[in-house]
Amino acid sequence: MSLWTSAAITEAIGGIASQPFDVNGVTFDSREVGPGDLFIALTGEATDGHKFLTQAFDRGAAGAIVSEDVANPIVRVGDTMAALEALAVAARARTSARIIGVTGSVGKTSTKEALFAALDRAEPGATHRSVKSYNNHTGVPLSLARMPAASKFGVLEMGMNHAGELAQLTSLVRPHVAMITAIAPAHTAFFTDESAIADAKGEIFAGLEPGGIAIIPYDSPHRDRLIGHAKPHAARIVTFGLEAGADVRAIEAMRLATGATFVTARIGARELSFTMKQPGMHWVSNALGVLAAVEAVGADLGMAGLALAELGGLQGRGARLMARIADGEALVIDESYNANPASMRATLAVLGAESAARKIAVLGEMRELGEGSGAYHAALADPVVEAGVEYAVLVGPEMAHLAEALEGRVQFVHVADAATAQNSLNDILAPGDAVLIKGSNGVGLAALVASLRTSSTGDGTI
């Protein structure tokens, strides 16, 4: 059965179809088009999707949503962005799936992927999720438009960097369960303080369906503020965390020799023991949130525990690879996708727990931190030292603040860009080392990871 027919698309968005067609996927990126896809030609400030229609149809697009006449199967509308949103609304309206919305300053993509793994383990092929980090004003409606009508569960990630954004996104998603992973300094250039970030994240609860459930991090200093945002909209509020008092909490969390963590969690009156493959207490917290959401939608907790035990790291968010170095190998922890003060501290702690000949950190600057950026960068000095880092490669202008704070404490080099960082790392990396690579995505440290992956064993992941 097709994902959308031209007749269903036309009904949803109010356009005019040039001819009948069926599609099996939806995208607005011509580079992602596959056979049978629907291509939506969005028009933005930087580019116009109509310029890539030939490329899209050459790659096998079965149809397109456009705002100008094209000699291909199309649905023509006045505004393609409005059409994408209308298609998302129709997709949400036609499904009876239980929908989970996920947001947070840190951990939302990883938690979304863990939730998908947990639900898919119990109901193979019946769970839909956002792909990549499609969590903004275009990514969320695209993820909804891609959801098969017969899905039993949907896991949608929502992000924001300004107040009001989540209110709009959650009105599209209309979740039955809304989860906040954590509140931390991120995008602080656009907010007065962390409380303002918590208020903006709390907007997710306004979209809850009647009878909906809010899931809130118990350990957060903003817990009560978040509960206040949830109360007017949620029929039930569930907390998760490491501290006593959380509705879903870890009563045991023991690090194993493999780096994994053995966890016993209490979910209401039930207990579940499982091994969390991903290292770090931040991942234990993520897992507790996952269990809270699985219980909230009535899925199988035992299967969720098995899925968590098998969950590997995501590229750019904790994936691990063994890179060939001279006559041996070095462990590479890939956290290159994003960075903020909280995630920097968490991943430095993971590096600190590794058994390695040396611990090396390649740290890219953290962006969108506003006037407090210098202080946030300098404050990483203690976590770097506590992790036992012997050599640090600091990348980007804002890392000058950390360089100054590390003077005389840790050997380091401060470089301007990722290409120079790669040369610096190549000069020092040796067999037996463990290296953490983390920074804001715009720094470009993913290219450094990619260069190491080409020299890794097998597919590079462990």
Side-chain angles (χ1 to χ4, degrees):
M1 183 178 295
S2 60
L3 179 65
W4 292 100
T5 65
S6 55
I9 294 169
T10 301
E11 182 180 355
I13 69 177
I16 300 173
S18 64
Q19 64 188 74
F21 61 86
D22 294 355
V23 299
N24 297 312
V26 184
T27 185
F28 50 63
D29 186 337
S30 60
R31 297 166 296 183
E32 294 183 354
V33 172
D37 280 351
L38 173 70
F39 176 65
I40 304 178
L42 297 182
T43 301
E45 295 179 3
T47 188
D48 183 347
H50 294 85
K51 295 179 180 179
F52 303 98
L53 282 165
T54 298
Q55 178 181 340
F57 281 106
D58 285 347
R59 292 177 63 89
I65 295 176
V66 299
S67 58
E68 58 188 50
D69 285 332
V70 179
N72 294 101
I74 61 167
V75 176
R76 181 167 179 173
V77 296
D79 183 334
T80 54
M81 184 63 218
L84 171 59
E85 292 181 350
L87 196 63
V89 170
R92 179 64 185 86
R94 71 180 184 176
T95 184
S96 60
R98 298 285 290 173
I99 306 295
I100 303 170
V102 181
T103 193
S105 302
V106 292
K108 55 184 175 290
T109 300
S110 299
T111 299
K112 177 257 298 182
E113 291 295 325
L115 255 173
F116 170 77
L119 296 170
D120 188 63
R121 182 67 183 258
E123 297 275 356
T127 302
H128 173 74
R129 76 190 186 285
S130 311
V131 298
K132 301 181 180 178
S133 290
Y134 282 179
N135 60 23
N136 64 6
H137 69 287
T138 55
V140 170
L142 177 67
S143 296
L144 281 167
R146 290 172 163 177
M147 183 165 59
S151 300
K152 290 187 177 181
F153 302 106
V155 186
L156 281 298
E157 177 184 343
M158 289 176 271
M160 63 89 200
N161 58 19
H162 288 84
E165 287 183 272
L166 271 177
Q168 179 183 4
L169 296 178
T170 195
S171 69
L172 288 174
V173 173
R174 292 167 39 218
H176 299 95
V177 177
M179 178 198 300
I180 295 177
T181 58
I183 303 297
H187 309 300
T188 52
F190 310 113
F191 295 95
T192 55
D193 54 27
E194 271 193 30
S195 294
I197 295 173
D199 290 339
K201 294 294 185 185
E203 293 172 11
I204 191 174
F205 302 125
L208 276 170
E209 288 287 270
I213 299 171
I215 299 179
I216 288 171
Y218 185 86
D219 305 340
S220 172
H222 307 287
R223 175 188 67 220
D224 293 342
R225 196 179 197 95
L226 296 175
I227 289 173
H229 283 289
K231 277 185 174 179
H233 310 288
R236 181 159 67 101
I237 297 173
V238 178
T239 60
F240 70 94
L242 305 175
E243 298 178 9
D247 298 315
V248 178
R249 67 183 181 93
I251 57 178
E252 180 182 25
M254 180 175 64
R255 180 180 169 86
L256 305 177
T258 60
T261 306
F262 178 78
V263 181
T264 300
R266 178 164 291 151
I267 308 102
R270 302 178 61 182
E271 289 187 7
L272 176 70
S273 294
F274 61 95
T275 300
M276 186 72 235
K277 183 178 180 180
Q278 290 290 86
M281 292 306 293
H282 62 297
W283 257 110
V284 174
S285 181
N286 289 347
L288 295 171
V290 167
L291 295 178
V294 168
E295 189 274 337
V297 296
D300 192 313
L301 285 169
M303 289 294 187
L306 293 175
L308 291 169
E310 297 168 353
L311 189 68
L314 304 177
Q315 186 170 323
R317 295 182 173 89
R320 292 172 167 232
L321 60 94
M322 297 301 299
R324 286 199 181 93
I325 307 295
D327 297 325
E329 294 179 323
L331 170 65
V332 178
I333 304 172
D334 175 16
E335 288 277 356
S336 60
Y337 184 79
N338 214 342
N340 58 47
S343 64
M344 279 284 199
R345 285 185 171 85
T347 50
L348 281 165
V350 169
L351 176 65
E354 294 294 332
S355 297
R358 289 185 308 169
K359 295 166 188 175
I360 298 170
V362 180
L363 304 178
E365 64 183 5
M366 303 175 289
R367 297 183 174 176
E368 296 186 352
L369 292 179
E371 294 180 359
S373 180
Y376 282 126
H377 283 83
L380 294 177
D382 285 346
V384 168
V385 173
E386 291 163 4
V389 172
E390 295 186 37
Y391 196 94
V393 180
L394 310 179
V395 190
E398 287 300 301
M399 275 295 171
H401 303 283
L402 178 55
E404 182 178 354
L406 285 176
E407 194 69 51
R409 303 179 71 187
V410 171
Q411 189 178 0
F412 68 86
V413 60
H414 181 210
V415 300
D417 52 42
T420 311
Q422 182 172 333
N423 294 334
S424 299
L425 182 62
N426 290 342
D427 288 343
I428 63 168
L429 197 58
D433 288 345
V435 56
L436 168 67
I437 301 175
K438 186 168 182 65
S440 288
N441 193 39
V443 179
L445 294 181
L448 194 161
V449 176
S451 71
L452 293 168
R453 184 172 283 111
T454 61
S455 64
S456 64
T457 56
D459 67 358
T461 58
I462 57 174

